[in-house]
């Protein structure tokens, strides 16, 4: 088979990589930007490229200041450290939110956060769920609610409508709670909704964007907030071992991504929609293409782990979310030809399963 850009196009085991947008490789142009970056000692705030990135993200998110961190996970952890007043204080978030499921329990171990989870289909909850949680927490025997944690876009790639987001933050504020925005895919949400990043992010006490997801940098995330909070975040960055040295080499990739990889997220969204439409015509697959708002497609089959296992051998890398649901994520390493090829491989695998089943 002839493929251009083989390294980007395929993931591990030679599969078409719909596993995650975190697995993209830097393009040749991004690598060029990295080799010409001006560098300095980031820990002493002497790396000009990191400083430029921090200022740019602060402005983009409508905040005073920002700090470059190695990962989105550390942005969340530092957010929790900043906002959870004392161990045992409560954080309200969706049941599948990243700190609940994918941060090795760091929120509890290191920030003393007690998670109170809200059950939703698509990661979006409402002000009434904040009110309920706060009411249920009344009295001296309940944990003290401290923080509302929001992901934009959500784990299903859904985009919070601005009004819903505002209502949730207002409900939090009216009870003296703080608010933190996990923007691992914030720019996906912005491109899909035609919204400015600050329109979502500015109302939060802390907000961050990831550069290793759809933006295609090798790693890195930037956490924004007031100057005082970001100074405090710097303490935690040092405490956690997240203060680095000549990180301009990566910050330059992030700056490159802001300049070149944001508008193109619309292509990933169109590819995700095309994937969902194609999947919807395969017998045995359940999916609503209209529910696909950004670069994540969730579809259902009778036995998700079995199909994912079969496709891992048959050339498409996917994630089984549970017994029936499968997640596919589009990104800059996948073009429309890749989507078409993935569809035909899924179709074949479903036919094989169907023939074996009868
Ligand atoms: C990927 C992701 C993170 C963590 O980002 P890393 O940079 O991989 O640590 C946090 N939250 C959400 C919603 C994510 O998708």
């Amino acid at each position: 088979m002839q493929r251009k850009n083989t390294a980007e196009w395929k993931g591990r085991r030679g599969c078409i990589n719909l596993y995650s947008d975190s697995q993209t490789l830097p393009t040749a142009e991004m690598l060029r930007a990295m080799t010409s970056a001006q560098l300095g000692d980031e820990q002493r705030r002497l790396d000009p490229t990191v400083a430029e990135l921090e200022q740019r993200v602060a402005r983009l998110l409508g905040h005073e200041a920002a700090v470059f961190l190695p990962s989105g996970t550390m942005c969340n952890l530092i957010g929790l450290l900043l906002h959870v007043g004392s161990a045992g204080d409560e954080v309200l978030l969706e049941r599948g939110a990243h700190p609940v499921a994918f941060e090795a329990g760091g929120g509890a171990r290191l920030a003393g956060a007690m998670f109170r989870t809200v059950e939703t289909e698509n990661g979006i909850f409402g002000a009434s769920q904040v009110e309920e949680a706060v009411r249920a927490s009344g009295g001296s025997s309940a944990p003290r609610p401290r923080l509302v944690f929001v992901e934009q876009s959500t784990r299903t790639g859904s985009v919070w409508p601005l009004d819903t987001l505002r209502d949730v933050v207002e409900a939090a504020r009216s009870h003296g709670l703080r608010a933190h925005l996990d923007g691992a895919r914030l720019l996906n949400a912005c491109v899909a909704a035609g919204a400015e990043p600050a329109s979502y992010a500015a109302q939060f006490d802390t907000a961050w964007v990831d550069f290793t997801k759809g933006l295609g940098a090798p790693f890195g995330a930037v956490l924004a907030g007031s100057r005082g909070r970001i100074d405090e975040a710097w303490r935690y960055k040092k405490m956690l071992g997240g203060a680095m040295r000549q990180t301009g080499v990566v910050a330059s990739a992030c700056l490159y991504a802001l300049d070149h990889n944001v508008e193109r997220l619309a292509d990933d969204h169109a590819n995700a929609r095309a994937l969902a439409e194609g999947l919807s015509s395969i017998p045995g697959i359940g999916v609503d293409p209209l529910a696909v708002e950004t670069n994540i497609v969730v579809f259902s089959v009778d036995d998700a782990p079995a199909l994912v296992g079969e496709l891992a051998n048959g050339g498409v890398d996917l994630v089984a979310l549970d017994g029936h649901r499968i997640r596919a994520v589009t990104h800059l390493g996948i073009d429309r030809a890749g989507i078409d090829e993935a569809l035909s491989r899924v179709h074949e695998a479903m036919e094989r399963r169907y023939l074996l089943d009868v």
Side-chain angles (χ1 to χ4, degrees):
M1 250 184 310
Q2 283 284 307
R3 301 274 175 237
K4 72 175 162 74
N5 248 343
T6 305
E8 284 175 39
W9 211 72
K10 291 179 177 176
R12 57 203 166 110
R13 302 186 304 272
C15 284
I16 296 172
N17 195 331
L18 295 172
Y19 181 88
S20 174
D21 49 4
S22 59
Q23 301 200 345
T24 51
L25 300 176
T27 58
E29 295 77 26
M30 181 180 275
L31 285 169
R32 244 194 315 280
M34 294 169 78
T35 56
S36 57
Q38 276 196 301
L39 306 177
D41 185 348
E42 180 224 78
Q43 266 191 45
R44 299 186 60 219
R45 314 222 192 170
L46 293 175
D47 189 305
T49 311
V50 172
E52 185 187 340
L53 177 67
E54 289 172 341
Q55 281 159 21
R56 200 151 156 201
V57 173
R59 260 200 319 276
L60 187 71
L61 300 189
H63 283 273
E64 240 170 27
V67 57
F68 182 64
L69 292 169
S71 68
T73 299
M74 197 180 284
C75 291
N76 279 342
L77 179 56
I78 290 180
L80 294 171
L81 284 160
L82 289 170
H83 302 308
V84 173
S86 51
D89 284 357
E90 208 167 60
V91 176
L92 185 72
L93 72 187
E94 208 269 337
R95 73 184 152 96
H98 206 269
V100 177
F102 304 112
E103 297 183 4
R109 169 87 190 228
L110 301 167
M114 176 121 166
F115 291 148
R116 181 189 193 93
T117 57
V118 178
E119 187 94 13
T120 76
E121 274 300 306
N122 62 1
I124 298 172
F125 51 93
S128 63
Q129 279 148 303
V130 177
E131 297 288 348
E132 254 167 51
V134 169
R135 261 201 307 278
S137 295
S140 58
S141 34
R144 196 165 33 185
R146 276 283 185 184
L147 176 72
V148 171
F149 177 106
V150 165
E151 288 176 357
Q152 174 79 308
S153 62
T154 71
R155 60 185 164 78
T156 56
S158 309
V159 178
W160 284 69
L162 187 54
D163 287 350
T164 313
L165 196 104
R166 280 206 180 117
D167 290 349
V168 159
V169 173
E170 265 171 37
R173 296 256 179 267
S174 72
H175 295 285
L177 274 60
R178 297 205 192 149
H180 172 86
L181 181 70
D182 173 330
R185 298 187 180 87
L186 177 64
L187 297 179
N188 289 89
C190 292
V191 166
E196 291 299 323
S199 70
Y200 297 125
Q203 57 209 299
F204 287 83
D205 295 283
T206 43
W208 61 271
V209 284
D210 212 331
F211 288 92
T212 190
K213 294 280 165 73
L215 297 186
F219 67 86
V222 177
L223 176 72
S226 67
R227 191 156 312 275
R229 285 235 167 84
I230 294 306
D231 285 345
E232 223 183 319
W234 254 101
R235 250 193 93 65
Y236 288 123
K237 170 169 155 127
K238 295 211 170 177
M239 193 183 291
L240 297 170
M244 299 170 283
R245 298 296 183 185
Q246 288 72 32
T247 33
V249 73
V250 173
S252 59
C254 303
L255 284 165
Y256 177 90
L258 283 178
D259 288 333
H260 299 96
N261 291 351
V262 176
E263 277 167 36
R264 65 150 307 286
L265 291 170
D267 300 342
D268 297 344
H269 303 168
N271 283 339
R273 183 64 74 89
L275 178 68
E277 276 161 7
L279 289 170
S280 72
S281 68
I282 299 175
I285 290 184
V287 62
D288 176 9
L290 294 178
V292 176
E293 295 180 71
T294 56
N295 66 327
I296 299 178
V297 178
V298 178
F299 60 97
S300 58
V301 294
D302 62 341
D303 188 342
L307 183 66
V308 167
E310 192 169 332
L311 280 164
N313 302 320
V316 188
D317 220 348
L318 296 159
V319 176
L321 297 175
D322 53 37
H324 297 288
R325 291 178 316 143
I326 296 176
R327 185 191 77 169
V329 185
T330 58
H331 50 77
L332 58 75
I334 301 281
D335 58 11
R336 189 58 69 97
I339 296 294
D340 292 342
E341 178 66 25
L343 279 169
S344 80
R345 292 183 191 183
V346 172
H347 201 161
E348 282 165 21
M350 287 298 286
E351 275 178 347
R352 273 198 305 275
R353 285 186 61 71
Y354 180 74
L355 290 175
L356 288 176
D357 282 352
V358 289

